[in-house]
């Protein structure tokens, strides 16, 4: 029975994952995957011994309620936090299962230690990512925290030895060290690297499931754990490639620690008003909008969609959206935001499909993005963004930057485009500024 | 050694399935994998049959709670995300 079940379940899940190749099919894929997971719960749950069954069912119910409720109330800009939280809870579940397996003699001891280690690192690392994404400020020195994490790593490895003699106390120390290591290791990693970190943690939650599958010799957990793990790894690979930033640099080099001399002269910026921007865009033939994390932070996607619609319908402007793979704080972050605002997927282009169009466009409207447009990526050797493929907004006739301030981006280097002659700077909150532009466009 | 074979084959399977996913849906992919990694619930259920010491059931209840949080939270978010992509497919003329 269980054997037949696992064949059905992993077939359905593989099918569901490959359905994500198209938004239309994806909806059914999601439905199929949910069905498969329900099957798992329904078929496995009765195998719990009667004395524990009621409490376990209550735990299941509570988890379902908490999960559904918290995702229901979640606002779109907080999506990356939620994904981080889910990564963490998957890791923690595996880690806890590892603890209980340690006392049972049927499992390979080293494997169980591996489950505990990866599980708890995933948990505390995700917690650190969650804190960073929620923009909760905790004062810490990045360099010291990073160095501390190396010490914690060595200590945690050393603490494995005592577990062989005495399981209870030594195990607790081992777990605490693993948690501390994961937390201190992820905490100093900066904002723009978050989409990579989220992917890494995503794959880790899969690997910890895989290890549980290994120790219990359960095929379903092995297959699914591997699928999740490889999905996270492939996303990591794609992200690091899009940033041209090796994983090693993400982990061990923090741009906010390194200071880079850009030699660029800080000349005057050309500050503009919303009316200027509206005038430029309504008279343009083609406008390309480049969204970045600032759009998510300001929750300005609805206003942006309004602006695009007015430009298209009232002024017959050709409006397109250009998305850099690492824009935002998780893979596909910008796509979700634009979709939420009902912007048609046909108007949204990936970097490689739209980059040659900037030279034919009249206005590039960059909202809340910085590093992904910085032309220094091509020339400035040694900078964290060197050789990162950028959206070539510098080729557009006019550039409008909507930014809260002139501060450097995450990479900590100046963007020479801010001072270029064909750039207009609109300093202010992305939501407010776009709203003002919409008002001007409606009146004019 | 069978489990190693399964693992290797699954790696290839994952590789080919995931590369097909459109970048538009990468966020949905993440939340869906979050949801299905809740399959670790099987591990918790199995561990109930080999309980040896007192606090273990409570640890396992907590593990079940977390896995169920993953499954339901993950799928709910994926559904919400995919719904955002859905309406404009209809609207598009």
């Amino acid at each position: 029975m269980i054997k037949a079940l696992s064949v059905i379940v992993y077939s359905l899940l593989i099918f569901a994952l490959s359905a994500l190749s198209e938004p239309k099919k994806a909806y059914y894929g999601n439905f199929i995957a949910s069905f498969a997971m329900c099957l798992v719960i329904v078929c496995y749950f009765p195998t719990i011994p009667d004395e524990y069954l009621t409490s376990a069912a209550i735990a299941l119910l509570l988890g379902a309620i908490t999960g559904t409720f918290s995702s229901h109330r979640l606002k779109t800009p907080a999506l990356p936090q939620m994904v981080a939280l889910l990564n963490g809870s998957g890791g923690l579940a595996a880690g806890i299962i590892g603890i209980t397996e340690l006392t049972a003699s049927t499992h390979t001891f080293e494997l169980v230690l591996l489950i505990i280690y990866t599980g708890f690192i995933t948990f505390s690392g995700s917690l650190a990512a969650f804190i960073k994404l929620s923009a909760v400020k905790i004062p810490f020195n990045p360099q010291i925290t990073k160095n501390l994490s190396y010490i914690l790593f060595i200590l945690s490895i050393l603490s494995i030895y005592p577990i062989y003699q005495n399981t209870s106390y030594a195990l607790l120390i081992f777990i605490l060290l693993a948690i501390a290591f994961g937390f201190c290791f992820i905490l100093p990693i900066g904002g723009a690297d978050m989409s990579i970190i989220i992917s890494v943690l995503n794959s880790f939650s899969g690997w910890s499931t895989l290890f549980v599958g290994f120790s219990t010799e359960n095929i379903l957990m092995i297959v699914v754990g591997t699928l999740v793990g490889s999905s996270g790894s492939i996303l990591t690979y794609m992200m690091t490639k899009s940033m041209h930033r090796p994983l090693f640099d993400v982990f061990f080099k923090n741009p906010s620690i390194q200071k880079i001399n850009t030699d660029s002269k800080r000349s005057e910026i050309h500050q503009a008003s919303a009316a200027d921007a509206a005038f430029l865009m309504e008279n343009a033939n083609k406008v390309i909008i480049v969204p970045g994390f600032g759009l998510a932070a300001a929750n300005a996607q609805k206003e942006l969609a309004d602006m695009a619609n007015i430009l298209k319908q009232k002024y017959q402007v050709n409006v397109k959206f250009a998305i850099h793979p690492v824009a935002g704080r998780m893979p596909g972050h910008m796509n979700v935001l634009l979709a939420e605002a009902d912007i048609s997927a046909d108007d949204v282009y990936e970097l490689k499909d739209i980059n040659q169009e900037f030279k034919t466009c009249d206005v590039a409207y960059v909202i809340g993005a910085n590093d992904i447009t910085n032309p220094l990526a091509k020339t400035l050797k040694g900078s964290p963004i060197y050789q990162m493929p950028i959206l070539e907004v510098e080729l557009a006739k006019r550039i409008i930057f909507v930014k809260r301030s002139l501060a450097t981006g995450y990479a900590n280097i100046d963007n020479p485009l801010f001072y270029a002659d064909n750039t207009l700077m609109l300093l202010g909150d992305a939501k407010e500024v776009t709203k003002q532009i919409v008002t001007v466009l409606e009146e004019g | 050694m069978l489990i190693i074979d399964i693992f290797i084959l699954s790696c290839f399977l994952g590789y080919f399935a995931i590369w097909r996913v459109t970048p538009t849906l990468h966020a949905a992919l993440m939340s869906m994998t979050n949801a299905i990694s809740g399959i670790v619930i099987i591990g918790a259920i199995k561990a109930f049959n080999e309980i040896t010491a007192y606090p273990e059931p409570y640890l396992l209840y907590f593990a079940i709670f977390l896995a169920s949080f993953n499954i339901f939270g993950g799928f709910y978010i994926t559904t919400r995300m995919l719904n955002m992509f859905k309406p404009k497919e209809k609207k598009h003329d």
Side-chain angles (χ1 to χ4, degrees), chain A residues 13-14 17-18 20-24 26-27 30 33-34 37 40 44-45 47-49 52 55-56 59-60 62-64 66-68 70-72 74 76 79 82-83 86-87 89-90 92-93 96-97 100 103-104 106-107 198-199 202 209-210 214 216 218-224 226-228 230-231 234-235 237-238 330-332 335-336 339-340 342-346 350, chain B residues 2-4 6-53 55-89 91-93:
Chain A
L13 289 178
I14 290 163
L17 279 178
S18 42
L20 287 173
S21 57
E22 263 178 59
K24 227 183 282 175
Y27 197 77
N30 185 47
S34 336
M37 294 306 287
V40 169
Y44 270 96
F45 230 72
T47 62
I48 298 176
Y52 307 119
S55 312
L60 180 84
L62 282 179
T66 327
T68 317
S70 55
S71 345
H72 183 74
L74 186 79
T76 335
L79 267 178
M82 188 65 191
V83 170
L86 288 169
N87 285 339
S89 81
L92 186 58
I96 290 172
I97 294 166
T100 62
T103 48
T106 45
H107 305 286
I198 293 273
S199 312
N202 189 229
T209 308
L210 168 75
F214 274 154
T216 54
N218 181 287
I219 292 173
L220 203 44
M221 274 194 281
I222 294 176
V223 175
V224 175
T226 313
L227 285 177
V228 176
S230 49
S231 154
I234 290 172
L235 285 175
Y237 173 78
M238 285 177 182
M330 68 184 278
N335 301 82
V336 175
E340 190 201 15
D342 269 343
I343 292 166
S344 161
D346 299 333
E350 300 294 320
Chain B
L2 183 68
I3 56 170
I4 300 294
I6 293 169
F7 166 61
I8 302 288
L9 289 175
S10 307
C11 281
F12 281 104
L13 202 64
Y15 182 85
F16 290 113
I18 305 303
W19 273 111
R20 287 185 48 194
V21 175
T22 155
T24 316
L25 293 180
H26 274 166
L29 171 69
M30 297 206 90
S31 59
M32 196 197 268
T33 50
N34 275 151
I36 65 173
S37 73
I39 198 124
V40 79
I41 201 166
I42 297 176
I45 291 171
K46 286 193 150 202
F48 271 110
N49 294 307
E50 41 190 41
I51 283 174
T52 50
E56 282 183 7
Y58 295 97
L59 287 175
L60 289 176
Y61 296 146
F62 189 48
I64 284 192
F65 168 80
L66 291 169
S68 144
F69 175 75
N70 258 39
I71 297 171
F72 287 89
F75 279 129
Y76 197 92
I77 287 189
T78 319
T79 315
R80 268 187 63 183
M81 272 192 227
L82 293 174
N83 274 338
M84 293 174 191
F85 285 97
K86 212 180 165 195
K88 55 177 203 268
E89 302 243 337
K91 228 186 278 173
H92 183 246
D93 40 22

Side-chain angles (χ1 to χ4, degrees), chain A residues 16 55 117 120 131 168 174 186 209 212 216 220 238 251 272 279 311 348 361 383 442:
Chain A
S55 312
Y117 203 58
F120 281 99
I131 289 171
S168 53
F174 174 65
I186 299 296
T209 308
V212 178
T216 54
L220 203 44
M238 285 177 182
F251 283 145
F279 178 77
L311 283 174
V348 180
C361 93
S383 73
E442 274 171 346

Side-chain angles (χ1 to χ4, degrees), chain A residues 244-318:
Chain A
H244 204 88
R245 199 161 145 73
L247 203 52
F248 181 86
D249 287 9
V250 174
F251 283 145
F252 299 104
K253 289 184 191 161
N254 188 333
S256 65
I257 301 171
Q258 298 171 296
K259 275 282 176 207
I260 291 189
N261 193 4
T262 49
D263 307 325
S264 72
K265 287 197 186 78
R266 278 182 174 250
S267 47
E268 285 292 295
I269 61 157
H270 310 278
Q271 215 169 329
S273 68
D276 301 334
F279 178 77
L280 266 183
M281 284 193 281
E282 66 187 44
N283 290 306
N285 286 318
K286 187 174 185 181
V287 173
I288 298 181
I289 298 173
V290 179
F293 175 65
L295 178 74
N299 202 6
Q301 60 273 23
K302 288 266 187 317
E303 286 73 14
L304 191 65
D306 289 345
M307 189 185 92
N309 285 336
I310 294 181
L311 283 174
K312 271 203 280 197
Q313 278 148 21
K314 195 167 168 191
Y315 300 97
Q316 276 80 45
V317 183
N318 181 1

Side-chain angles (χ1 to χ4, degrees), chain A residues 10 50 74 92 152 154 168 170 185 235 308 310 342 366 398 423 428:
Chain A
Y10 65 65
D50 286 341
L74 186 79
L92 186 58
L152 287 167
I154 296 168
S168 53
F185 191 70
L235 285 175
I310 294 181
D342 269 343
V366 186
R398 303 302 293 264
T423 300

Side-chain angles (χ1 to χ4, degrees), chain A residues 2 14 53 81 101 137 163 171 232 265 279 283 325 349-350 358 401 424 428 432:
Chain A
I2 293 282
I14 290 163
L53 193 59
Q81 284 96 300
E101 283 185 353
K137 291 267 177 293
I163 302 177
L171 181 70
K265 287 197 186 78
F279 178 77
N283 290 306
Y349 294 82
E350 300 294 320
F358 280 107
F401 267 101
L424 289 180
E432 286 306 313

Side-chain angles (χ1 to χ4, degrees), chain A residues 138-153:
Chain A
I138 30 175
F140 66 96
N141 179 320
Q143 192 60 59
I144 294 175
T145 319
K146 196 100 248 189
N147 294 340
L148 181 67
S149 77
Y150 302 145
I151 299 170
L152 287 167
F153 174 71

